[in-house]
Amino acid sequence: MGSAMGQEIELKLSIRPDSVEVFKAHPLLDSVSGQSHYLENQYFDTPDQQLTAAGAALRLRRDEGRCVQTLKTRGSNIGGLHQRDEWEFERPDGRIDLSELPASALPDGLTVDRLQPLFGTHFNRHRWLLDYQGASIEVVLDEGRILTQDTEQPISEVELELKTGQLSALLDLSLQLTERVPMVPSDMSKAERGYRLLDGNASVEVPLPAIVAQQSMESAFCALMGYELERLQRQWEVFWMSQQWRHMQAMLVTLGNLQTELEWFADILPDAHLEKVSAWVLWLDETIRPLVSWWPACFALSQEARSEPENIAVSLQQAKAIRALDGIEALAHNPRFGNTLMSLTRWLHLRAWRHDQTDDHRRASDEAVSDGLDRSLSSAWQAFKPDQFAGSTSHALSQFPAVHRLLMLCQYFNTLYGAELNHYREELQALEDNLSKLSAMDVVSRLREWLDELPLEQQASVYSWTRSQTVLLRDIKQLAGRLFESRDTALEV
């Protein structure tokens, strides 16, 4: 039959279809002869999707007369870099066979008779084999479709697979390619995209890493940065799948989380690295923020923005939404966007800061996370100013960052502090939700041009909603007061 088991190390990048010719013309590829062929894959699972629930994907691939069965496991996946186990077998009869797969790679009780085809991927693959920095790297460009019984979605992606050599070569190559070609690191395999298309799933699902008390500060930093980077890239990709503005808004929250993590773990990072990475995160934030600043009062980023307006008020909303859509489209075509994300991925995977660490940095890196984060927790509570909530809307909203940072600590490190922080987590989540509503009301109440163009009935409804700021401020004040009363206990945790 012929079989093989190995570890696949590849980097996936999404590419806009209108950037494909620019990619093919890149000097690194233009000087190497490539090959092209057509591939058809059929993905199999049980009706209740046992395989994908276990983080595995099973397919049959038909490629120029050959039929190959492949099983891939979840493995690790940070910033678009996939490292996972895979098993491949020739299947001349075109049928699935589980007999030669290790039981540990399959869900308990899975039998071949329960498997059925769920979706397929049909695409043209263009392949180049590069020698780069002493490494052998396969570069592939896939263009085609994901097909379910009822719908389909385009495939346009680049994969760089490390055949031999160092991981640094793979990451450096991706950085060089993204300097001139608009491509974004992607954490979604074709299999996951197929399942999402099948189930209509447009959520961002990334498991939170479990941080334990004796884990080193550096290990916790890498896990949490990797978590937020994966969320950032998925939010971008899911936006394009769903056209829902909330995923763009969520990117700003994630970028804020990355900046906060850099502050929490600053003791392990040399100044030059801290400044460089902070500058990347800041550029992303300042580029995205203006595009979604209109969201509380205007249409969601959807096709509705392009439809014929019913009245002047709708036209005003659509004009803002179209400007945002055009801005996001321009961002997708800006190579700096993907290159900045790729720079963050490379920096994290190679742990580039280690080369410039002093003895103090190394001691801070090796410190147990429970000791290092006690200082962050204490500092976060000190930044929380409950008296601000008794003032105006602007005073209450000034505490938004402090509330979010406390909530981040409770979410990230609940396994360290357990029940002591669970109570605060619920209270802080309620406080943050109310502050989000207050922020939306505040923005809407200041959009006079938009409000004045609304029909009188809609104006009355909006004004009624924004006037409830007083009640909301009262609720926020009460929540903040309860948190303040228990803050001394939290500082003793």
Side-chain angles (χ1 to χ4, degrees):
M1 289 288 186
S3 65
M5 182 273 180
Q7 187 180 61
E8 177 185 60
I9 300 177
E10 70 175 21
L11 183 76
K12 188 184 295 291
L13 301 143
S14 62
I15 183 170
R16 309 283 289 182
D18 53 9
S19 297
V20 164
E21 294 307 314
V22 177
F23 173 77
K24 289 180 178 179
H26 194 285
L28 286 173
L29 303 179
D30 195 42
S31 59
V32 178
S33 60
Q35 300 175 337
S36 298
H37 57 287
Y38 178 72
L39 297 172
E40 288 190 5
N41 298 319
Q42 193 74 50
Y43 286 83
F44 293 79
D45 207 336
T46 61
D48 58 352
Q49 299 185 5
Q50 272 186 281
L51 280 167
T52 191
L58 178 65
R59 76 179 184 219
L60 281 179
R61 166 169 289 176
R62 300 185 187 279
D63 177 8
E64 297 179 338
R66 295 174 63 221
C67 185
V68 178
Q69 172 186 305
T70 304
L71 176 72
K72 295 187 181 187
T73 58
R74 178 179 283 125
S76 66
N77 182 0
I78 299 174
L81 183 71
H82 303 252
Q83 300 183 65
R84 57 198 173 198
D85 292 332
E86 66 170 27
W87 291 263
E88 286 197 342
F89 302 88
E90 295 276 353
R91 298 297 302 154
D93 61 1
R95 296 181 180 179
I96 292 289
D97 181 4
L98 304 180
S99 63
E100 295 188 65
L101 292 169
S104 60
L106 296 170
D108 292 338
L110 181 69
T111 56
V112 72
D113 59 291
R114 295 200 64 228
L115 295 173
Q116 61 185 33
L118 294 186
F119 58 89
T121 58
H122 301 176
F123 53 92
N124 289 304
R125 167 160 287 181
H126 313 280
R127 175 181 173 273
W128 300 263
L129 192 62
L130 300 185
D131 292 323
Y132 188 83
Q133 293 183 359
S136 177
I137 301 172
E138 183 181 66
V139 179
V140 301
L141 166 68
D142 291 337
E143 299 177 279
R145 315 290 294 176
I146 300 173
L147 304 168
T148 70
Q149 187 172 356
D150 302 316
T151 187
E152 63 180 63
Q153 193 177 85
I155 294 171
S156 183
E157 63 185 33
V158 170
E159 293 177 1
L160 312 180
E161 183 174 354
L162 185 65
K163 296 296 187 181
T164 62
Q166 298 298 312
L167 175 61
S168 58
L170 181 74
L171 294 169
D172 287 349
L173 174 60
S174 65
L175 203 62
Q176 189 171 349
L177 290 171
T178 55
E179 281 178 353
R180 66 166 68 189
V181 184
M183 296 189 292
V184 177
S186 170
D187 283 307
M188 283 192 201
S189 66
K190 294 182 185 69
E192 182 180 349
R193 292 182 63 200
Y195 278 107
R196 283 177 176 267
L197 189 61
L198 190 69
D199 300 335
N201 180 3
S203 63
V204 177
E205 301 165 352
V206 181
L208 186 67
I211 306 298
V212 297
Q214 294 310 306
Q215 190 170 347
S216 72
M217 286 287 282
E218 183 179 75
S219 173
F221 171 71
C222 291
L224 293 172
M225 284 287 286
Y227 165 75
E228 295 293 358
L229 270 181
E230 185 174 354
R231 276 165 46 90
L232 189 69
Q233 292 168 13
R234 281 176 173 255
Q235 285 155 354
W236 175 257
E237 190 150 8
V238 171
F239 162 73
W240 288 105
M241 292 169 63
S242 67
Q243 292 284 290
Q244 294 176 0
W245 63 264
R246 60 189 176 90
H247 298 299
M248 292 298 300
Q249 186 71 22
M251 288 183 74
L252 294 177
V253 176
T254 302
L255 289 166
N257 293 352
L258 286 168
Q259 189 59 57
T260 298
E261 285 169 9
L262 291 172
E263 294 171 12
W264 284 347
F265 294 92
D267 288 349
I268 76 174
L269 301 173
D271 288 346
H273 287 263
L274 190 58
E275 291 170 7
K276 176 173 63 177
V277 178
S278 295
W280 289 334
V281 174
L282 181 63
W283 181 83
L284 290 168
D285 184 278
E286 290 180 341
T287 302
I288 294 170
R289 189 169 297 278
L291 302 178
V292 294
S293 62
W294 57 275
W295 71 265
C298 301
F299 279 6
L301 292 181
S302 69
Q303 294 307 307
E304 292 180 49
R306 308 289 188 186
S307 62
E308 188 68 28
E310 297 176 5
N311 52 50
I312 294 175
V314 173
S315 178
L316 284 169
Q317 296 179 68
Q318 287 181 321
K320 293 188 175 87
I322 288 170
R323 282 200 298 272
L325 281 167
D326 290 344
I328 292 173
E329 190 73 33
L331 181 59
H333 286 89
N334 183 352
R336 186 177 176 183
F337 178 62
N339 187 253
T340 301
L341 290 173
M342 195 63 247
S343 296
L344 284 164
T345 294
R346 178 185 179 278
W347 180 82
L348 180 62
H349 272 287
L350 297 183
R351 303 194 179 191
W353 59 87
R354 285 183 166 180
H355 302 296
D356 301 312
Q357 282 183 317
T358 64
D359 289 341
D360 287 342
H361 290 130
R362 282 187 279 272
R363 277 192 291 271
S365 295
D366 294 337
E367 185 178 22
V369 69
S370 56
D371 297 329
L373 285 168
D374 276 344
R375 293 192 296 275
S376 294
L377 182 59
S378 177
S379 174
W381 276 109
Q382 295 294 342
F384 180 69
K385 307 293 184 186
D387 57 299
Q388 293 292 311
F389 295 97
S392 64
T393 294
S394 61
H395 284 139
L397 290 177
S398 72
Q399 285 296 290
F400 213 144
V403 171
H404 183 69
R405 289 185 181 199
L406 277 167
L407 185 57
M408 282 176 66
L409 281 161
C410 291
Q411 290 171 335
Y412 286 167
F413 308 117
N414 66 315
T415 51
L416 266 66
Y417 298 105
E420 292 93 339
L421 283 188
N422 281 340
H423 166 70
Y424 304 114
R425 179 176 177 174
E426 294 172 5
E427 296 277 294
L428 286 162
Q429 186 66 66
L431 186 55
E432 183 175 69
D433 289 346
N434 280 339
L435 285 170
S436 293
K437 293 177 187 175
L438 186 66
S439 175
M441 289 178 179
D442 185 54
V443 172
V444 171
S445 66
R446 289 186 279 109
L447 292 173
R448 304 299 310 179
E449 176 191 18
W450 176 74
L451 287 168
D452 290 344
E453 293 292 342
L454 288 173
L456 290 177
E457 184 179 341
Q458 292 183 30
Q459 283 189 41
S461 176
V462 171
Y463 280 123
S464 175
W465 179 62
T466 56
R467 278 197 297 271
S468 64
Q469 283 186 66
T470 304
V471 177
L472 191 56
L473 269 171
R474 183 198 64 198
D475 293 344
I476 287 171
K477 179 182 176 182
Q478 291 174 350
L479 275 168
R482 288 201 297 269
L483 277 164
F484 181 63
E485 289 170 5
S486 55
R487 181 171 66 169
D488 289 342
T489 304
L491 287 172
E492 294 170 4
V493 173

